[in-house]
């Protein structure tokens, strides 16, 4: 055996290590996507089960410690008076275009406050007066919609700026603090109002997105395919390198 032949396996060691590393990485990513798919299917099943339920009274203070992500999209109803003077506009992009979610505190007939996402408005209907709503009114209304947990994070590269009254996510605690709502008497969730038309047509409710993309299986197949291609490529490179040395 020649010295060159003895050195050949050592020369190919970096190729073997690189191929092994890529194989492990690609397989790990594929497995992660399979796990994500299982999580997404479970989430979809939970949401569909929630949406099929009849509306229940919005959870009161005694139940607030129990409220969590598992209650997202739970149909609820609540009665009270809207505090239009304390509304908060949160940036929104919907099928109706760009505009705002109207987050209005409600003083419920049960004595606590809850933020209600009454729906979407465009720039021309930002203020209550532009929608024919009476600031300081005492009319008791009933709202039916979906319970949503707080969104403490802003959109990508856009954090909420309470000092400037610029809002990009529906952060219940931060909005409540900015509007001087008593924290001990304010629900830790908000309600997405349903599509019941408002008197002046604004805000437009019922725009909650309850469909979830589930492309994890396709991504998993891609990662596993790359893992197999890595092995095939390494085998071909090994064989080609061996043929070159014997020729």
């Amino acid at each position: 055996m020649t010295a060159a032949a003895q050195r050949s396996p050592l020369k190919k060691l970096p190729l073997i290590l690189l191929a092994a590393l890529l194989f492990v990485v690609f397989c790990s990513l594929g497995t992660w996507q399979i796990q994500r798919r299982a999580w997404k299917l479970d989430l979809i099943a939970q949401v569909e089960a929630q949406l099929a339920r009849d509306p229940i009274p919005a959870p009161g203070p005694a139940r607030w410690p129990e409220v969590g992500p598992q209650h997202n999209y739970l149909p609820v109803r609540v009665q009270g008076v809207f505090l239009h003077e304390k509304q908060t506009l949160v940036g929104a992009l919907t099928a109706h275009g760009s505009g705002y979610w109207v987050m209005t505190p409600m003083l419920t007939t049960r004595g606590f406050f809850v933020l209600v996402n009454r729906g979407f408005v465009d720039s021309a209907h930002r203020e209550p007066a532009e929608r024919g709503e009476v600031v300081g009114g005492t009319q008791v209304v009933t709202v039916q919609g979906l319970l949503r947990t707080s969104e403490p994070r802003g959109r990508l590269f856009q954090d909420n700026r309470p000092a400037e009254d610029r809002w990009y996510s529906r952060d219940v605690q931060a909005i409540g603090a900015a509007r001087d709502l008593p924290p001990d008497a304010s629900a830790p969730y908000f309600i997405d109002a349903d599509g019941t038309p408002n008197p002046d047509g604004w805000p437009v409710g019922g725009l909650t997105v309850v469909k979830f993309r589930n492309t994890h299986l396709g991504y998993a197949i891609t990662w596993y395919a790359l893992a197999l291609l890595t092995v095939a490529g390494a085998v071909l490179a090994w064989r080609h390198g061996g043929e070159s040395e014997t020729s």
Side-chain angles (χ1 to χ4, degrees):
M1 180 180 293
T2 65
Q6 291 176 337
R7 290 195 302 269
S8 179
L10 294 177
K11 291 174 61 178
K12 295 175 182 177
L13 183 59
L15 172 64
I16 296 172
L17 294 176
L18 177 60
L21 175 62
L22 291 175
F23 179 81
V24 171
V25 169
F26 291 148
C27 284
S28 297
L29 289 171
T31 301
W32 176 65
Q33 287 294 336
I34 292 295
Q35 294 170 344
R36 291 281 295 174
R37 180 175 182 269
W39 167 82
K40 184 64 69 64
L41 290 174
D42 183 59
L43 173 64
I44 293 171
Q46 288 182 20
V47 170
E48 290 178 347
Q50 294 279 47
L51 294 174
R53 298 178 60 177
D54 293 329
I56 64 172
R63 292 188 55 197
W64 289 349
E66 306 169 7
V67 175
Q70 70 276 15
H71 295 98
N72 252 328
Y73 307 103
L74 175 68
V76 296
R77 62 178 179 274
V78 67
Q79 279 189 321
V81 176
F82 279 126
L83 309 178
H84 294 296
E85 68 277 12
K86 292 181 178 289
Q87 76 167 21
T88 297
L89 300 176
V90 179
L93 182 61
T94 73
H96 295 269
S98 60
Y100 306 92
W101 297 123
V102 179
M103 303 292 291
T104 307
M106 171 185 278
L107 175 57
T108 71
T109 55
R110 294 155 60 193
F112 64 86
F113 295 87
V114 61
L115 279 175
V116 178
N117 176 17
R118 301 180 59 228
F120 170 84
V121 293
D122 57 22
S123 296
H125 296 88
R126 290 169 48 103
E127 301 304 323
E130 296 166 341
R131 306 188 296 267
E133 296 166 346
V134 179
V135 173
T138 58
Q139 180 185 5
V140 176
V141 297
T142 299
V143 172
Q144 186 167 299
L146 302 176
L147 184 151
R148 303 293 306 279
T149 52
S150 182
E151 299 171 349
R153 296 179 180 176
R155 293 190 306 215
L156 186 63
F157 304 125
Q158 290 180 307
D159 293 327
N160 291 326
R161 289 180 276 178
E164 302 174 22
D165 203 26
R166 291 180 178 271
W167 303 89
Y168 302 99
S169 71
R170 294 164 292 192
D171 185 333
V172 171
Q173 286 74 25
I175 292 175
R179 298 297 178 257
D180 295 321
L181 300 181
D184 294 340
S186 299
Y189 57 84
F190 65 94
I191 298 173
D192 269 346
D194 65 10
T196 302
N198 286 295
D200 197 40
W202 300 94
V204 180
L207 299 180
T208 308
V209 177
V210 292
K211 294 182 179 179
F212 302 93
R213 292 183 61 207
N214 187 11
T215 57
H216 298 293
L217 182 59
Y219 287 132
I221 292 173
T222 299
W223 289 121
Y224 286 138
L226 287 173
L228 292 176
L229 288 173
T230 298
V231 173
V235 170
L236 288 175
W238 179 283
R239 290 179 178 177
H240 179 73
E243 292 172 358
S244 299
E245 291 175 0
T246 57
S247 62

